[in-house]
Amino acid sequence: LPILELRGLEKQYLGTHALKPADLAFKAGEIHAIVGENGAGKSTLIKLLTGVIPRTAGEILLRGEPVALTTPLEAIQHGINAVHQEVVLCPHLTVAANIFLGEEHRRFGLLQHRHMVREAQKILDDLGFVLPAHVLLSDLTIGQQQLIATARAATRGARFLIFDEPTAYLTREEAAQLFALIRRLQKSGVTIVYISHRMEEVFELADRVSILRDGRLVGTRNIDDTNENE
Ligand code: ADP
Ligand code: ADP
């Protein structure tokens, strides 16, 4: 049974058929890349999966059960989280506050920032990041901020992580760190959807790849680990 499945999922904006009826099954714990040119419908698919826009038709199933996904909160409650090309956190807050953003009162009470910093530092250390939790988010590079955004999603029990061109503003080294984290999350059972138009990244990271062209899913292929040149 696929962990996440699209059945005839479709989106029309006024005048644009952005996603034509799409069937796609994601396997639990896979890294599934989706590639396509600008305008192919990648953003539309992400927005449908994260409850940001309503679908025109079709179904989204989690473990065989249809889900409505009519709000971003509902998507998060189902364990669906997204990491975007642009970091969407709060630069004016500390790294720790960003990791626990929205949960700080429930988890720590007021005036417990020091406690929160300690907890956040543990998370960062466990993930193998050499990053301080007490500094402002804006003191980090964009790549480091992208790692924090991913750590944040991981700590909220994400079961699905959708990456939308996360390396767009990253150096090679930062991208390598992000890939290591993504593989680590995969090992812990998270299902990864990785949107990109950089084929070399897709070959390096993904288990399978689906191609979107002009709003149509045109196929899915396994990516074989064996390299013909080896
Ligand atoms: P991608 O992310 O692959 O670049 P998008 O999902 O952003 O593709 O866009 C798919 C198509 O839908 C494009 O033709 C785009 O212009 C159109 N589109 C996207 N968002 C909207 C919108 N809010 N209203 C109308 N058309 C849109
Ligand atoms: P991406 O970098 O993901 O390919 P795009 O450049 O296609 O993103 O689109 C950027 C944003 O603008 C997206 O949120 C998309 O939905 C929106 N958008 C794209 N095309 C249109 C359009 N024709 N009308 C309204 N919004 C659009």
Side-chain angles (χ1 to χ4, degrees):
L1 185 71
I3 189 141
L4 172 64
E5 197 180 350
L6 319 181
R7 285 195 195 152
L9 186 67
E10 185 178 354
K11 179 65 187 183
Q12 297 193 37
Y13 301 106
L14 260 186
T16 312
H17 208 165
L19 186 66
K20 290 161 189 159
D23 296 312
L24 187 57
F26 297 92
K27 298 178 188 172
E30 73 171 335
I31 300 180
H32 194 125
I34 295 178
V35 300
E37 302 289 323
N38 271 339
K42 304 182 300 295
S43 301
T44 297
L45 180 57
I46 293 171
K47 288 177 186 170
L48 291 170
L49 288 175
T50 51
V52 173
I53 56 171
R55 66 191 83 147
T56 304
E59 283 190 312
I60 298 172
L61 299 97
L62 287 178
R63 284 172 222 82
E65 293 292 321
V67 286
L69 298 184
T70 50
T71 63
L73 181 61
E74 190 195 342
I76 289 166
Q77 284 166 344
H78 284 300
I80 301 174
N81 279 262
V83 174
H84 300 281
Q85 184 173 346
E86 319 266 350
V87 177
V88 280
L89 297 176
C90 297
H92 299 279
L93 298 179
T94 61
V95 168
N98 273 281
I99 289 176
F100 291 115
L101 199 66
E103 302 197 312
E104 55 276 60
H105 298 312
R106 182 166 63 75
R107 295 193 40 168
F108 302 102
L110 290 167
L111 306 174
Q112 292 290 319
H113 190 255
R114 222 183 288 168
H115 179 198
M116 188 162 79
V117 169
R118 262 201 312 275
E119 288 301 305
Q121 193 65 59
K122 259 190 243 164
I123 290 168
L124 295 178
D125 294 348
D126 284 350
L127 290 171
F129 298 164
V130 186
L131 291 176
H134 67 276
V135 300
L136 293 183
L137 186 78
S138 54
D139 290 338
L140 304 185
T141 67
I142 298 296
Q144 290 168 332
Q145 293 184 33
Q146 202 61 291
L147 293 177
I148 299 300
T150 307
R152 171 185 154 80
T155 59
R156 343 201 113 200
R159 318 229 358 95
F160 307 91
L161 263 178
I162 304 173
F163 289 90
D164 183 10
E165 311 245 359
T167 60
Y169 304 113
L170 271 53
T171 65
R172 260 171 189 285
E173 199 175 319
E174 289 168 343
Q177 275 189 291
L178 181 68
F179 284 10
L181 175 57
I182 292 175
R183 289 201 187 90
R184 197 173 164 134
L185 292 170
Q186 177 189 30
K187 285 207 183 80
S188 73
V190 178
T191 304
I192 312 278
V193 179
Y194 191 89
I195 310 273
S196 181
H197 59 253
R198 297 181 176 167
M199 281 314 284
E200 74 277 13
E201 283 193 347
V202 170
F203 282 120
E204 186 182 335
L205 191 66
D207 302 310
R208 294 201 296 161
V209 57
S210 292
I211 317 287
L212 255 182
R213 189 184 299 142
D214 295 332
R216 193 176 295 284
L217 267 177
V218 295
T220 300
R221 293 282 177 279
N222 289 320
I223 294 173
D224 199 338
D225 273 340
T226 53
N227 185 331
E228 283 174 22
N229 297 321
E230 276 174 359

